[in-house]
Amino acid sequence: MTKKIDYIIVGLGLAGACLALQLLKRGKRILVYDMPQQNRASTVAAGLFNPITGKRVVKTWKADEIFSYLFQFYREAEKELKVKFFYDRPLYTPFRSIEEQNEWMSKSADDGFNKYIVQVATHPIFESEVNDPLGGILLSKCGHINTNVFLEGVRQLVQEKESYLEERWVEEKMQALDEGIVYENISAEKVIYCTGIHALKSKYFEKLPLKSLKGEVMTIKTSQALNRIYNRGVYVVKSGEMEYKVGATYDLQNLSEGVTENGRKELVQKTGDLLSIPFEVTHQDWGIRPSTIDRRPIVGEHPTEKNVLIFSGLGTKGVSLAPYFSGQLADYMLGRGNLDKEANITRVKSLYSKFH
């Protein structure tokens, strides 16, 4: 007997988990196929969200829309899942030069930036915790989520709804038809691949310009509590009692599984440059993020198989991007709006001829 549902989600990392919540909120019947051990990029992440990022310290893409959305989304998710995983914390970035000081003094008067700026300091204000001889910038609308608690909460929710299967999705068993998807004894309107870099293993998406970006992180312990997130070269984010996640490296070349000594040395050096207190490294981990050349997610339908969709390419900003674009994708599938042109899969239409 065929079981009829609305949507199949393949993968329950950050993208899949956010999409699952969005579709359930809209009253849709879903079924999630997931292999938790493949969610490394989501589970090892520090879960940081920050509207001012990058080497040049600029406002992140679509910050105004995305950050107001994520605060509401994660707070509602905490109530729905009955777990605590969302932490709103200030973030401090020490200045490297007088020029940077001056630049931020100017930006602090800009309406586009001042909503995120708590203080621009031209002298040390947190020297008991970090090296900030030139002061720094203290930001609001920042924080982090405990990705493992969030993902486990979503997993339990879909399990309770009998909408979760911990088994490998076998694409060869799927029939993509004009009227929907058939997979073994399941029929659905659409299937959405939320499999991160593993999407490249699909015959539908193997030609997408997704890039593997390896990141290593480490966990440190300190004898002194750090009261905010610090970010300069590396981020330092609270993960437990006197325990912090530090990261991350960015490696497009060495994509081997496992941690590396070079990764550890880089993280230790940058952490030492940032913090003014002793620390002990207690753990090191790694993951492979799905990134894109333009650093925009890839969302939307396969060009010929309209019932096969993808939600991937979140890169290093998955925590901030996943809520907003999962909501946009859910509405799009229900015929309630359009996908952002900069995220829509149609922007890579030059590759369409290479699709199966």
Side-chain angles (χ1 to χ4, degrees), residues 19 222 248 261 292 294:
L19 183 60
T222 64
E261 184 60 28
T292 57
D294 60 6

Side-chain angles (χ1 to χ4, degrees), residues 6 15 18 34 55 94 147 205 275 278-279 281 286 320 328:
D6 295 311
C18 290
D34 183 51
K55 290 182 179 179
T147 54
F205 301 113
L275 297 182
F279 61 90
V281 179
W286 66 281
S320 54
Q328 197 175 87

Side-chain angles (χ1 to χ4, degrees), residues 107-165:
K107 284 182 178 179
S108 66
D110 186 322
D111 287 343
F113 284 91
N114 60 22
K115 69 178 74 174
Y116 304 112
I117 297 173
V118 177
Q119 181 181 359
V120 179
T122 57
H123 59 277
I125 55 174
F126 299 124
E127 67 266 41
S128 64
E129 297 177 11
V130 293
N131 295 308
D132 65 336
L134 299 176
I137 179 169
L138 184 65
L139 300 171
S140 63
K141 304 291 189 297
C142 305
H144 61 97
I145 71 168
N146 185 317
T147 54
N148 287 292
V149 172
F150 172 63
L151 294 177
E152 184 56 33
V154 177
R155 182 174 293 108
Q156 289 185 14
L157 177 67
V158 292
Q159 285 175 336
E160 289 167 8
K161 295 180 179 295
E162 298 183 343
S163 300
Y164 179 84
L165 291 173

Side-chain angles (χ1 to χ4, degrees), residues 17-82:
C18 290
L19 183 60
L21 289 180
Q22 299 279 16
L23 292 172
L24 289 173
K25 185 167 70 173
R26 289 160 175 77
K28 295 300 164 181
R29 297 163 299 170
I30 65 171
L31 183 60
V32 176
Y33 285 81
D34 183 51
M35 298 290 285
Q37 63 271 25
Q38 293 187 348
N39 300 333
R40 290 198 61 87
S42 294
T43 56
V44 307
L48 178 66
F49 55 90
N50 173 17
I52 309 293
T53 62
K55 290 182 179 179
R56 294 178 55 245
V57 197
V58 296
K59 190 161 71 169
T60 192
W61 174 61
K62 294 182 73 71
D64 295 342
E65 300 99 311
I66 286 171
F67 277 78
S68 61
Y69 192 100
L70 76 83
F71 271 75
Q72 180 179 349
F73 175 85
Y74 286 128
R75 283 173 175 157
E76 288 180 357
E78 281 191 325
K79 294 177 183 177
E80 171 76 13
L81 303 176
K82 299 180 176 62

Side-chain angles (χ1 to χ4, degrees), residues 5-8 174-183 186-191 204 305-309:
I5 60 169
D6 295 311
Y7 303 111
I8 294 171
M174 182 182 79
Q175 289 179 277
L177 308 173
D178 290 341
E179 62 273 19
I181 299 296
V182 176
Y183 185 87
I186 306 294
S187 68
E189 290 181 27
K190 300 178 187 296
V191 59
Y204 298 101
E305 301 294 345
K306 298 299 183 183
N307 298 318
V308 182
L309 295 88

Side-chain angles (χ1 to χ4, degrees), residues 283-303:
H283 185 63
Q284 188 178 351
D285 215 332
W286 66 281
I288 302 289
R289 318 174 189 94
S291 186
T292 57
I293 294 173
D294 60 6
R295 298 187 179 182
R296 304 288 184 261
I298 294 181
V299 187
E301 304 163 346
H302 184 275

Side-chain angles (χ1 to χ4, degrees), residues 206-252:
E206 63 185 356
K207 299 298 184 182
L208 281 179
L210 288 170
K211 289 187 173 293
S212 295
L213 176 58
K214 183 177 179 178
E216 295 186 54
V217 299
M218 66 185 187
T219 303
I220 64 170
K221 281 198 169 185
T222 64
S223 58
Q224 177 181 331
L226 304 177
N227 299 314
R228 58 201 61 79
I229 299 169
Y230 291 115
N231 187 28
R232 182 99 253 185
V234 289
Y235 55 72
V236 180
V237 178
K238 187 176 178 64
S239 60
E241 191 65 32
M242 299 295 189
E243 188 175 83
Y244 304 85
K245 270 195 175 180
V246 174
T249 63
Y250 302 87
D251 198 334
L252 289 163

